Amino acid sequence: MYSYSEFDEAFVRTRVAQFTHQVERRIDGSLTEEEFRPLRLMNGLYLQLHAYMLRVAIPYGTLNPRQMRQLAHIAQTWDKGYGHFTTRQNIQFNWPKLSDVPKMLSALADVGMHAIQTSGNCVRNVTADHFAAAAADEIEDPRPYAELLRQWSTDHPEFQFLPRKFKIAITGAAQDRAVTAAHDIGLRIVKNDAGEAGFQVLVGGGLGRTPMVAMTVRDFLPVEDLLPYVEAVLSVYNTLGRRDNKYKARIKITLHETGKEEITRMIEARFAELRPLFGGNDQALLADIREAFAPPAFRNAPVEAYDAFYKADPVFRAWADTNLAKHRNDQYAIVTISLKAHGQTPGDATADQMRVMADLAERYGHNELRVSHEQNVILPHVHKSDLPAVHAALMQAGLGTANVGLISDIIACPGMDYCALATARAIPVAQEIATRFDALKLEHDVGPLKIKISGCINACGHHHVGHIGILGLDRAGVENYQITLGGDGTEDAVIGERAGPGFAYDEIVPAIERIVLAYLDLREGPEETFLQAYRRVGLPPFKAALYPGEGNRDAA
């Protein structure tokens, strides 16, 4: 993974010192909250419902054990002993005191981390496939390109005050695990007819108030043109993007209002102007970055012990069936550590659990961890012979839940428990769904099913692309939960359909239960997933189950 250069170190330390002075001025009253707000947001500090929240960048979701231990130290020293991993592959600390934030930022800098550009109308944390460099279906590791984009976009003088926040995601695999089509720019590594690697470029995706799937503006972009082309997209957006209405300021609206043909023409024209200005320096930098992402020294060892353990231990077998993914090296597996124990807050990990994950990465995982946008943590490279020991340690730490990809592996935003923007609770709904289906013992029978929950229209829980999406809203002071069905965040991305009128808080879990039971009745055998069944039969039978006795009730 990438390590800070002297320039990186000096840059981050300077920002910490600068913000420390700004915090001191806010505390002594020299700065009002209105004056302080843009300064704190530039450094990842939010004012939430009950306290400040610090959002820490984890570029493309990659961490080493030392960094994970430092996050644990920060959680234990200056917060309430836990951190919350987010759908942007970041971590949030929900309870810091303002006076402690400079110490937290300094501690982050000690291990090559920061909170810069985790807020504000700028290019946010560049996200990537959490199985990068390990997945069997990968064309190329996307993280060197993500790092190149990170370095280029950090403190970029033209793009610090964009019309709205801007998000980029990149994947190097056939299966899109980075939800690229729901981003302002999505980059997919593809190969042309000559076998050369390049990028399919998608623009204008996003969820929130007006969910849209991104459009392809380039079927194949050569690798050497990445930075000038991305800069061209941002330059056009920065010129056209609306600043009169923040709800219409995202590039998806700009693309819709301008038209795909015209905005593509403008991007290409700007790209033609920018391309000669790069002069190859970006490619020299990329070559240096690539060296930092050399694959680990995989060891060659027997795997028969794993096979025997898999057959003999049903608890281990259940975990292996759900939480392991195929590695490009047949002797290895990709381990997803579920942060979704039944009844717990999705994405939360205690300081002790962070240390356990760091220890496992150090001992068994070639010193590498990943954070997924699905709010889990990944050990991307574990030899199969080590999996029983890894599983035993996870079980002891409360991290051995065998539910990855199942109904309790829920994405949920903080909702009204923390967020000042939220209009409904999300965490308790996730907890109650998980515990309900655990009690019914149906989870493994149901199979792959992605539930995503947002506590407001901003859709931080990605509900629009959930197989079952739940959106909590305020209706005359009462929580009301709308359901969408059939969403998908993969390479076949689609926005879910709204099922009908919403449900009260105490009705939403029974409503989800009716949907799932309807699926079990409808499916053509246990191999047909929920999403496959939905695409086959459509909304009507699920709507009938949701609203029994009400006929074809109008979804509007």
Side-chain angles (χ1 to χ4, degrees), residues 61-76:
T62 296
L63 284 166
N64 63 37
R66 182 168 175 250
Q67 290 170 328
M68 183 66 95
R69 289 192 185 99
Q70 191 75 325
L71 295 177
H73 170 71
I74 290 169
Q76 200 161 46

Side-chain angles (χ1 to χ4, degrees), residues 54 56 67-82 93 96 103-109 111 113 351 354-355:
L54 181 66
V56 176
Q67 290 170 328
M68 183 66 95
R69 289 192 185 99
Q70 191 75 325
L71 295 177
H73 170 71
I74 290 169
Q76 200 161 46
T77 306
W78 297 296
D79 207 273
K80 291 192 175 182
Y82 72 96
F93 296 105
K103 289 175 269 189
M104 298 169 76
L105 294 175
S106 182
L108 289 169
V111 294
M113 299 183 75
M354 290 185 219
R355 292 188 182 99

Side-chain angles (χ1 to χ4, degrees), residues 175-211:
Q175 182 181 350
D176 186 358
R177 288 173 288 266
V179 204
T180 57
H183 284 74
D184 298 292
I185 294 178
L187 299 165
R188 297 175 178 172
I189 298 177
V190 294
K191 287 191 175 181
N192 62 13
D193 293 339
E196 300 166 324
F199 300 97
Q200 178 190 4
V201 183
L202 297 86
V203 171
L207 305 179
R209 190 175 297 268
T210 311

Side-chain angles (χ1 to χ4, degrees), residues 445-446 517-537 542:
D445 187 33
V446 170
L517 294 177
Y519 153 67
L520 292 175
D521 287 339
L522 287 164
R523 69 181 179 182
E524 294 182 338
E527 298 304 314
E528 185 177 48
T529 66
F530 177 90
L531 190 57
Q532 290 168 342
Y534 184 84
R535 289 174 173 172
R536 176 173 57 82
V537 304
F542 291 99

Side-chain angles (χ1 to χ4, degrees), residues 259-303:
K260 179 186 174 183
E261 185 175 336
E262 175 61 13
I263 205 167
T264 301
R265 184 197 66 77
M266 295 177 71
I267 291 168
E268 293 291 341
R270 182 61 177 146
F271 169 62
E273 296 172 349
L274 289 170
R275 188 182 185 190
L277 304 180
F278 278 75
N281 289 333
D282 55 326
Q283 295 308 297
L285 176 58
L286 179 60
D288 290 340
I289 291 172
R290 284 187 197 279
E291 292 183 8
F293 290 92
F298 295 122
R299 63 189 178 91
N300 185 18
V303 298

Side-chain angles (χ1 to χ4, degrees), residues 224-537:
E224 59 269 21
D225 291 337
L226 176 61
L227 282 193
Y229 200 87
V230 170
E231 182 157 328
V233 173
L234 272 154
S235 182
V236 169
Y237 166 58
N238 204 20
T239 302
L240 296 180
R242 295 181 60 170
R243 288 177 164 87
D244 62 322
N245 185 335
K246 71 176 183 178
Y247 302 116
K248 297 183 179 181
R250 297 293 291 269
I251 193 172
K252 60 187 177 183
I253 305 297
T254 304
L255 189 151
H256 178 74
E257 292 180 342
T258 308
K260 179 186 174 183
E261 185 175 336
E262 175 61 13
I263 205 167
T264 301
R265 184 197 66 77
M266 295 177 71
I267 291 168
E268 293 291 341
R270 182 61 177 146
F271 169 62
E273 296 172 349
L274 289 170
R275 188 182 185 190
L277 304 180
F278 278 75
N281 289 333
D282 55 326
Q283 295 308 297
L285 176 58
L286 179 60
D288 290 340
I289 291 172
R290 284 187 197 279
E291 292 183 8
F293 290 92
F298 295 122
R299 63 189 178 91
N300 185 18
V303 298
E304 286 78 9
Y306 161 77
D307 296 330
F309 206 85
Y310 179 88
K311 293 175 182 176
D313 188 332
V315 175
F316 176 79
R317 183 164 60 250
W319 176 80
D321 287 344
T322 55
N323 293 39
L324 301 185
K326 184 174 175 56
H327 196 282
R328 63 195 320 160
N329 183 322
D330 288 340
Q331 291 187 10
Y332 277 72
I334 302 168
V335 177
T336 298
I337 302 170
S338 172
L339 300 186
K340 314 287 180 60
H342 300 102
Q344 299 301 308
T345 301
D348 278 8
T350 67
D352 287 342
Q353 289 175 329
M354 290 185 219
R355 292 188 182 99
V356 168
M357 292 187 283
D359 291 345
L360 291 174
E362 194 168 68
R363 184 170 181 181
Y364 301 113
H366 294 277
N367 293 304
E368 199 168 332
L369 303 111
R370 309 281 175 78
V371 179
S372 76
H373 80 272
E374 295 180 319
Q375 299 176 286
N376 292 317
V377 174
I378 318 297
L379 296 173
H381 313 292
V382 179
H383 195 274
K384 288 181 178 178
S385 63
D386 293 326
L387 288 170
V390 168
H391 176 249
L394 291 174
M395 289 292 288
Q396 189 172 3
L399 293 167
T401 308
N403 66 342
V404 171
L406 303 182
I407 199 168
S408 64
D409 185 13
I410 299 170
I411 287 179
C413 76
M416 276 204 312
D417 288 283
Y418 296 100
C419 182
L421 301 177
T423 50
R425 288 169 288 176
I427 291 171
V429 175
Q431 292 169 325
E432 290 178 27
I433 292 172
T435 54
R436 175 58 181 160
F437 281 92
D438 185 44
L440 291 172
K441 303 303 176 189
L442 282 175
E443 189 166 28
H444 288 267
D445 187 33
V446 170
L449 176 55
K450 294 185 181 295
I451 295 181
K452 305 178 192 291
I453 307 173
S454 300
C456 81
I457 199 70
N458 289 319
C460 294
H462 295 187
H463 68 275
H464 294 294
V465 292
H467 302 166
I468 299 175
I470 302 172
L471 168 62
L473 296 171
D474 181 298
R475 290 282 186 262
V478 178
E479 290 169 295
N480 182 272
Y481 293 87
Q482 295 177 357
I483 294 174
T484 55
L485 298 173
D488 185 8
T490 69
E491 62 278 4
D492 301 315
V494 65
I495 303 299
E497 296 180 83
R498 184 179 163 192
F503 296 87
Y505 177 82
D506 59 356
E507 297 174 335
I508 186 62
V509 176
I512 299 303
E513 185 175 336
R514 292 197 297 277
I515 292 172
V516 174
L517 294 177
Y519 153 67
L520 292 175
D521 287 339
L522 287 164
R523 69 181 179 182
E524 294 182 338
E527 298 304 314
E528 185 177 48
T529 66
F530 177 90
L531 190 57
Q532 290 168 342
Y534 184 84
R535 289 174 173 172
R536 176 173 57 82
V537 304

